[in-house]
Amino acid sequence: MTTEDGETAETFEEYADLGATTGDAMEIAETSMDRVRELVPDETLGDRVRQKAVHATGDPEFQHLVRFSGADESAAVRAGARAVLDERPIVTDITMVKAGVTGRGHGCPVRKAIGNGSELAERTGMTRTAASVLELDRRGVYDDAVAVVGNAPTAALALADCVEDGTRPAVVVATPVGFVKAAKSRQRVREVAREYGVPAITTVGRRGGSGLAAGLTNELVHVASDARDGELSLTRADDRTAPREEGTDRS
Amino acid sequence: MTTEDGETAETFEEYADLGATTGDAMEIAETSMDRVRELVPDETLGDRVRQKAVHATGDPEFQHLVRFSGADESAAVRAGARAVLDERPIVTDITMVKAGVTGRGHGCPVRKAIGNGSELAERTGMTRTAASVLELDRRGVYDDAVAVVGNAPTAALALADCVEDGTRPAVVVATPVGFVKAAKSRQRVREVAREYGVPAITTVGRRGGSGLAAGLTNELVHVASDARDGELSLTRADDRTAPREEGTDRS
């Protein structure tokens, strides 16, 4: 991922989530990622996700808060990138996360859960985001999708319930934020991810949020773009069933 | 702001940015703010903003990173709330921040800068967000507006240039994130805010982001709602020209 002089504008684009298309923006995006690479290793696909976490939050500590559920650390990244190449839906919990997902470099429909299931929410008293996840799941939207939760812990909990009930997202990206249920909801996502072999990228602790979830999702898009361009390979035996490598799951 | 048993659902709503309308959501929002109040003082309007910063980021440290520019610490909060009551535009830098601004409790038009000024960006090479701010400013959009920058340092720098050139937002909320120009851009906002008497709420350091900017903006809406309900008063002599109180400006 080293950026060298003389590369075209198109090459620089991968470093910017939110639309670096001008000279100034590319310079900022490039310099910003250079700074991040001074702080975070740059060897594996997992490192790319850790770099993006630091980039999106402005906080070097975040490299230590990312967790990968899957056969090995890179499995969730590969699974997500493959789903992007397959143009599977990217489904976010709320509008804000959807707004942060890049519109470039992929052909995936991007949709949000919120706005669905309002009748269920009113009837049961559950949160609107949780109800929206259950409603979309009822319609089969989450199978093989990139399922993203950036804000609502109850959406992550609902998604975990769906996995327990048989839904199989291609990958789950879950970084809900807050003081109530946020850390626990991500822990629960990791538990069902491990039990049912669903690749997942999550964070530990109370911190997280929409910007982080969108950033990590965009990194899956960037990895997919690099794979499309032949810069890396996503081929490997089925990650979901491959034996877990010692020491790679740090969740 | 103490929440007591027996209060109505409507009372709870103020604690939720992103739409707590069901029983579960209100309980989470309430419990979450209770936790935050254990960590952050609950005396002044400034405290409310600090609480929201902690709530939005999930990080208690953020209470120490908020800065207020104005006659005193609460002046920027009052100015922002008054602008909300006056139904002035809330103008964000990017779509993601706009998506995070609550649609309830105010009659302000909410618009984003990005998408404007593309010709300027192409011609000059400046970032699209910076060009979009300059273009909206050319149309007079920022005068007396709630000007919000959550993502792009160059948008904050452009906004500071506009203030220097005579634009007077009602309040600036600036929390762009990142490793390049983010901290410096907020420092520059504080400098022009002080020099030209523009109320501003900013953060120090590299961290920040869209979720934080939206959360702080929503707190201005909540303060306005409380003022509308007679729970607090925003009246005070012109904050912009009042003498600075010793020890209150910590920027």
Side-chain angles (χ1 to χ4, degrees):
Chain A
M1 286 177 68
T2 307
T3 304
E4 296 175 338
D5 288 335
E7 289 194 328
T8 64
E10 212 141 276
T11 314
F12 288 140
E13 279 192 9
E14 70 175 303
Y15 304 125
D17 280 353
L18 295 160
T21 56
T22 68
D24 278 9
M26 286 167 211
E27 193 185 326
I28 291 170
E30 179 195 358
T31 311
S32 190
M33 281 310 291
D34 282 350
R35 298 267 173 87
V36 171
R37 284 192 205 98
E38 291 167 7
L39 302 164
V40 189
D42 189 30
E43 300 295 324
T44 69
L45 289 177
D47 288 338
R48 284 183 63 158
V49 171
R50 279 187 283 268
Q51 289 178 347
K52 179 55 75 171
V54 171
H55 187 250
T57 60
D59 185 356
E61 193 190 332
F62 252 100
Q63 66 184 298
H64 307 299
L65 305 180
V66 180
R67 295 293 178 273
F68 300 89
S69 305
D72 61 72
E73 199 183 82
S74 295
V77 189
R78 289 197 305 274
R82 277 196 300 260
V84 170
L85 291 176
D86 290 344
E87 305 196 344
R88 298 297 310 162
I90 297 171
V91 188
T92 71
D93 54 341
I94 63 166
T95 311
M96 195 170 177
V97 179
K98 180 177 180 231
V101 174
T102 181
R104 297 182 301 160
H106 68 88
C108 306
V110 183
R111 56 188 299 183
K112 59 184 176 179
I114 192 75
N116 297 284
S118 57
E119 191 272 333
L120 178 65
E122 276 171 38
R123 183 157 45 79
T124 61
M126 73 173 64
T127 67
R128 294 190 303 140
T129 38
S132 70
V133 167
L134 297 181
E135 171 61 22
L136 285 198
D137 184 60
R138 200 181 59 77
R139 297 188 221 152
V141 170
Y142 282 110
D143 274 314
D144 298 316
V146 178
V148 187
V149 178
N151 180 76
T154 53
L157 291 170
L159 189 61
D161 287 346
C162 297
V163 169
E164 201 160 48
D165 290 346
T167 300
R168 295 292 175 265
V171 65
V172 174
V173 176
T175 66
V177 66
F179 289 85
V180 177
K181 296 188 181 179
K184 196 186 294 181
S185 74
R186 291 186 250 104
Q187 175 63 33
R188 168 119 167 89
V189 167
R190 283 190 289 276
E191 284 165 10
V192 298
R194 182 173 302 132
E195 184 164 355
Y196 299 99
V198 172
I201 302 172
T202 58
T203 49
V204 293
R206 278 188 306 232
R207 294 160 58 198
S210 301
L212 178 60
L216 298 185
T217 304
N218 291 343
E219 192 57 33
L220 298 178
V221 172
H222 297 158
V223 171
S225 295
D226 287 351
R228 192 188 294 116
D229 296 344
E231 291 176 27
L232 57 84
S233 167
L234 302 175
T235 55
R236 187 166 163 144
D238 184 3
D239 297 311
R240 293 192 191 187
T241 55
R244 190 184 309 281
E245 293 175 13
E246 286 301 319
T248 55
D249 184 341
R250 309 184 304 171
S251 66
Chain B
M1 287 178 66
T2 307
T3 305
E4 295 175 339
D5 289 335
E7 290 195 325
T8 64
E10 212 142 279
T11 314
F12 287 140
E13 279 192 11
E14 71 176 301
Y15 304 127
D17 281 353
L18 294 161
T21 57
T22 68
D24 278 9
M26 285 168 212
E27 194 186 325
I28 290 170
E30 181 195 358
T31 310
S32 189
M33 281 310 291
D34 282 351
R35 299 267 173 88
V36 170
R37 284 193 205 97
E38 290 168 8
L39 302 164
V40 189
D42 190 30
E43 301 294 324
T44 68
L45 289 177
D47 289 337
R48 284 184 61 158
V49 171
R50 278 187 283 268
Q51 288 177 348
K52 179 55 74 171
V54 171
H55 186 249
T57 59
D59 185 355
E61 192 190 335
F62 252 101
Q63 66 184 297
H64 307 299
L65 304 181
V66 181
R67 295 293 179 273
F68 301 90
S69 305
D72 61 71
E73 199 182 82
S74 295
V77 189
R78 289 197 303 275
R82 278 196 299 262
V84 170
L85 291 175
D86 290 345
E87 305 195 344
R88 297 298 309 162
I90 297 171
V91 188
T92 71
D93 54 341
I94 62 165
T95 311
M96 195 171 179
V97 179
K98 180 178 179 225
V101 174
T102 181
R104 296 183 301 160
H106 67 87
C108 306
V110 182
R111 58 188 297 183
K112 59 184 176 178
I114 191 75
N116 297 284
S118 56
E119 191 272 333
L120 178 64
E122 275 170 40
R123 184 158 43 81
T124 62
M126 72 173 63
T127 67
R128 293 191 303 141
T129 39
S132 70
V133 167
L134 296 181
E135 172 60 23
L136 286 198
D137 184 61
R138 200 181 59 78
R139 297 188 221 151
V141 171
Y142 281 111
D143 273 313
D144 298 316
V146 179
V148 187
V149 178
N151 179 76
T154 53
L157 291 170
L159 189 61
D161 286 346
C162 297
V163 169
E164 202 161 47
D165 290 346
T167 300
R168 293 294 174 264
V171 65
V172 174
V173 177
T175 66
V177 66
F179 288 85
V180 177
K181 295 189 182 179
K184 196 185 295 182
S185 75
R186 291 187 249 103
Q187 175 63 32
R188 168 117 167 91
V189 167
R190 283 190 289 277
E191 285 166 7
V192 300
R194 183 174 303 132
E195 185 164 354
Y196 299 99
V198 172
I201 302 172
T202 58
T203 49
V204 292
R206 278 187 306 230
R207 293 159 58 196
S210 300
L212 178 60
L216 298 185
T217 304
N218 291 343
E219 191 58 33
L220 298 178
V221 172
H222 298 158
V223 170
S225 296
D226 286 352
R228 192 188 294 115
D229 296 344
E231 291 175 27
L232 58 84
S233 168
L234 301 175
T235 54
R236 184 164 166 148
D238 184 2
D239 296 312
R240 293 192 191 186
T241 55
R244 190 183 310 280
E245 291 175 14
E246 285 301 318
T248 54
D249 184 342
R250 309 184 304 171
S251 65

